[in-house]
Amino acid sequence: MQYRVFVSRRLPQEALDIISAVAEIDLWEGDAPPPRDVIAEKIAAADGMLCLLTDRIDGPLMDGASRLKVVSQMAVGYDNIDVPACTQRGVKVGNTPGVLTETTADLAFALILATARRVVQADNELRGGEWKTWSPLQWTGTDVHGATLGIVGLGRIGYEVARRARGFDMKVLYCNRSAHEGAENDFGAVKVSMEELLAQSDFVSLHCPLTTETRHLFGTEQFKQMKPSAILINTARGPIVNQIELAQALQDGVIAAAGIDVFEAEPVPLNDPLLQVPADRIVVLPHIGSASVKTRTRMAVLAAGNLVAGIQGLPLPHPVN
Ligand code: GLV
């Protein structure tokens, strides 16, 4: 075959079929990400690469990859890829926007409900034999309906979280560079300053990309500006939150709880301070925002489409650069 591609993890067959129709696939069969030197060696002989958010793609890695025409990421976020370095080398970058929007918004809402109503804690304590009787006070949480939700970053996913919030009669505040007329008209969302959002929200849900501006956007100072009863939800990227300071804020009761799907280092080390926070104050998930069978298949198919377009020198259906 004329083209050869490196695919850094096993994918749904539908996606592999799209790729193998035009290219020979060099597939990494490991469950763990391929080591950096392996990626470098593989892409040195490849026209394209399909990667995941666990693969760091930067200039030095691509230095020996003279054939490489495209890096296709199976995710919407692409902070693991040095896009300017790709552009400089004439390497196209693609991602998978749109298809995971609703699935990720569902998970953000699952974390809102789970943290507010102590779902995971109550399940664990029932299994631990702590359900002795129906009790007026045990496992009481906070209402989601009618509460105020602050959305930081009102893009596609933030909009879908706001749409779900409307069904719960929530008041929606948001911080975003530009106003989102759709969310304002459709759900009465109100654009406010970060200070106002922090001061007024019962739930603060993060939906911005990880950039130099958003790295550690949330830390002690922001937690102190939140209500002591507030709950922080992060389904975006771990480094948007200073994780050590979040652990401290939860331990000290500066905020009430957190629902966290993404971490500064993934997988989160089991001795991380965040995992020492008592389970009544935090629900932790292993970065499963987009993890429905249907959505992961659609993401892989989209990434395969970007890959095969890129190796053939065609415009990517979902370009980043
Ligand atoms: C997942 O986190 C994604 O960016 O698609």
Side-chain angles (χ1 to χ4, degrees):
M1 254 186 197
Q2 187 184 354
Y3 302 112
R4 184 180 171 82
V5 296
F6 177 54
V7 174
S8 77
R9 226 64 53 79
R10 281 188 296 270
L11 299 178
Q13 193 57 43
E14 246 176 282
L16 292 175
D17 289 346
I18 292 169
I19 304 169
S20 61
V22 286
E24 186 187 331
I25 302 177
D26 183 1
L27 181 68
W28 177 253
E29 294 276 0
D31 291 324
R36 190 176 162 82
D37 56 328
V38 171
I39 299 180
E41 185 197 313
K42 300 284 191 185
I43 62 175
D47 301 288
M49 172 179 187
L50 192 151
C51 64
L52 307 190
L53 49 84
T54 45
D55 305 315
R56 171 90 204 134
I57 310 294
D58 55 28
L61 184 86
M62 289 183 288
D63 275 346
S66 54
R67 276 172 64 175
L68 193 71
K69 292 200 270 303
V70 57
V71 170
S72 173
Q73 162 102 333
M74 186 186 144
V76 64
Y78 48 83
D79 47 275
N80 55 306
I81 301 174
D82 184 340
V83 177
C86 291
T87 308
Q88 258 172 26
R89 289 163 176 77
V91 174
K92 291 178 180 160
V93 179
N95 69 339
T96 63
V99 292
L100 50 77
T101 302
E102 299 237 27
T103 303
T104 307
D106 286 350
L107 192 85
F109 232 87
L111 281 174
I112 290 173
L113 290 164
T115 48
R117 297 301 306 276
R118 305 181 178 278
V119 171
V120 179
Q121 177 199 0
D123 175 299
N124 282 334
E125 292 179 5
L126 176 156
R127 293 170 199 274
E130 288 176 51
W131 187 15
K132 311 285 188 213
T133 179
W134 189 93
S135 152
L137 297 178
Q138 199 176 15
W139 297 312
T140 50
T142 183
D143 281 328
V144 173
H145 71 270
T148 297
L149 171 65
I151 296 182
V152 178
L154 195 71
R156 279 181 285 247
I157 298 172
Y159 177 87
E160 284 301 326
V161 173
R163 192 156 73 89
R164 282 154 180 72
R166 184 181 54 166
F168 280 77
D169 262 337
M170 296 178 93
K171 178 173 173 189
V172 178
L173 307 178
Y174 73 98
C175 268
N176 201 45
R177 233 179 282 170
S178 48
H180 195 305
E181 269 182 42
E184 294 187 6
N185 296 335
D186 300 347
F187 325 124
V190 180
K191 186 169 187 287
V192 293
S193 66
M194 180 66 94
E195 291 68 33
E196 257 181 277
L197 182 138
L198 295 175
Q200 290 181 28
S201 299
D202 300 303
F203 300 88
V204 174
S205 193
L206 307 183
H207 299 289
C208 47
L210 173 63
T211 62
T212 39
E213 290 89 55
T214 63
R215 185 173 291 273
H216 285 190
L217 184 64
F218 274 69
T220 305
E221 203 185 307
Q222 287 67 37
F223 303 136
K224 282 187 179 153
Q225 292 177 60
M226 291 165 68
K227 296 180 183 180
S229 57
I231 296 178
L232 178 76
I233 306 295
N234 190 6
T235 55
R237 282 293 183 269
I240 298 168
V241 175
N242 183 323
Q243 200 164 298
I244 300 247
E245 293 183 6
L246 174 61
Q248 197 60 52
L250 292 167
Q251 292 284 12
D252 296 346
V254 177
I255 61 171
I260 301 293
D261 183 44
V262 287
F263 297 82
E264 289 211 60
E266 296 183 359
V268 63
L270 293 182
N271 63 356
D272 191 277
L274 209 49
L275 300 190
Q276 316 313 314
V277 173
D280 60 336
R281 268 170 261 167
I282 191 162
V283 173
V284 283
L285 295 176
H287 202 149
I288 57 168
S290 63
S292 75
V293 175
K294 189 168 144 196
T295 291
R296 287 283 169 84
T297 303
R298 292 168 78 194
M299 289 165 70
V301 165
L302 233 59
N306 280 332
L307 182 70
V308 299
I311 57 175
Q312 296 177 94
L314 302 170
L316 306 197
H318 299 281
V320 166
N321 59 353

